[in-house]
Amino acid sequence: MKRFHIKKIGTKILAFGALMILASVGLTAGVLMIDNAYYNKQVSDEVLDSAILGLRQGINDKLTQSEKSATAIAENYLVIDAVENKDFNGLKTALDDLNAVLHMDTISITDDKGDVIIRQHAPDKHGDSILNQTNVQKALKGEAATTLEPGALVKLSTRSGMPIYNRDGNIIGTVVTGYTFENSAMLDELKSFHNTEFTIIAGNEWIATTMMQDGDRAVGTTLSDEVAKIVI
């Protein structure tokens, strides 16, 4: 009888131990699941922060390069002479040669009233005024200005305005250089590095994106009001 009692107690101890092991395993699994969820969120946040930083740096690099290019063009003697003499063909040749090195998306030259003499990226479109652009207004006052803003032909771009001086020191026009954000090349580079999708929205329209739809970039997509409230 005594042996049976001891055996019964032993069985209870084994059963209790088994329950404790199961409970321990369950607790450990729960902790691991929580830890994994926290880790995954942390990794996601870090990837997102890195991607945003990369995009900001990319935009800043474009702004810096745009300003340097505008300065180089404004100080080029062939450009200065062509603007002063209103030599359209000479100006086009000079800008084509310069942009073969500078690789700007857009280059516009205005007169001293802000009217376009030539667009190197669209030479058949000229004669209109772009005086509404901040960089042109400041350049005509002798100030260099680099901004992010829309244009007459481009939905959103970096823009650098520089005054063009003649040999007498008078402002005879401006040069405006820019990188358009309708070009998805920068976003493709960022995606390959950060493994993250990127989209640039002007107003409520997707103008550049790495996201594809039916084999084409999903540009032209309109941002819904609900998403706009969250994002903006």
Side-chain angles (χ1 to χ4, degrees):
M1 187 72 178
K2 189 176 182 180
R3 288 182 60 189
F4 174 77
H5 182 68
I6 293 172
K7 185 176 180 180
K8 193 173 181 180
I9 292 174
T11 302
K12 288 182 178 180
I13 292 173
L14 287 173
F16 178 75
L19 286 172
M20 288 300 295
I21 291 171
L22 288 173
S24 176
V25 169
L27 180 61
T28 303
V31 171
L32 285 174
M33 288 176 67
I34 293 170
D35 283 348
N36 284 338
Y38 174 78
Y39 173 76
N40 290 335
K41 182 181 183 303
Q42 187 177 29
V43 169
S44 296
D45 289 346
E46 289 175 356
V47 168
L48 183 59
D49 289 343
S50 177
I52 292 172
L53 183 63
L55 180 59
R56 286 177 178 166
Q57 186 60 55
I59 292 172
N60 286 335
D61 289 345
K62 296 295 186 186
L63 290 168
T64 299
Q65 187 56 48
S66 179
E67 187 170 330
K68 289 180 179 178
S69 296
T71 301
I73 294 170
E75 294 177 353
N76 184 275
Y77 74 95
L78 292 174
V79 171
I80 295 171
D81 288 345
V83 171
E84 194 160 36
N85 296 321
K86 303 187 186 307
D87 180 4
F88 181 91
N89 292 328
L91 191 53
K92 184 178 186 307
T93 299
L95 292 178
D96 287 345
D97 290 344
L98 285 167
N99 207 32
V101 177
L102 299 174
H103 304 296
M104 298 302 303
D105 289 333
T106 63
I107 301 175
S108 299
I109 304 292
T110 78
D111 60 18
D112 57 356
K113 297 180 178 61
D115 294 332
V116 177
I117 300 174
I118 187 174
R119 288 182 173 90
Q120 189 267 340
H121 54 288
D124 58 326
K125 298 183 183 299
H126 55 86
D128 56 310
S129 174
I130 56 172
L131 190 58
N132 63 316
Q133 294 181 16
T134 303
N135 51 77
V136 174
Q137 295 170 15
K138 290 188 175 182
L140 288 174
K141 295 177 182 177
E143 304 173 22
T146 298
T147 60
L148 278 172
E149 60 182 313
L153 301 181
V154 178
K155 293 176 181 177
L156 182 67
S157 70
T158 64
R159 294 184 183 277
S160 295
M162 290 286 174
I164 299 175
Y165 294 92
N166 64 11
R167 288 175 172 78
D168 296 326
N170 300 315
I171 295 176
I172 58 175
T174 71
V175 55
V176 180
T177 58
Y179 286 104
T180 173
F181 287 111
E182 292 173 76
N183 185 341
S184 297
M186 180 181 72
L187 300 187
D188 289 339
E189 292 177 7
L190 288 168
K191 178 180 176 178
S192 65
F193 184 80
H194 295 283
N195 193 29
T196 303
E197 302 289 353
F198 289 86
T199 296
I200 293 178
I201 300 168
N204 69 338
E205 180 186 353
W206 295 23
I207 62 171
T209 183
T210 56
M211 299 180 71
M212 309 296 287
Q213 189 174 40
D214 299 326
D216 297 318
R217 293 186 190 273
V219 293
T221 301
T222 301
L223 189 68
S224 68
D225 292 338
E226 183 180 355
V227 176
K229 288 179 182 178
I230 297 171
V231 175
I232 299 174

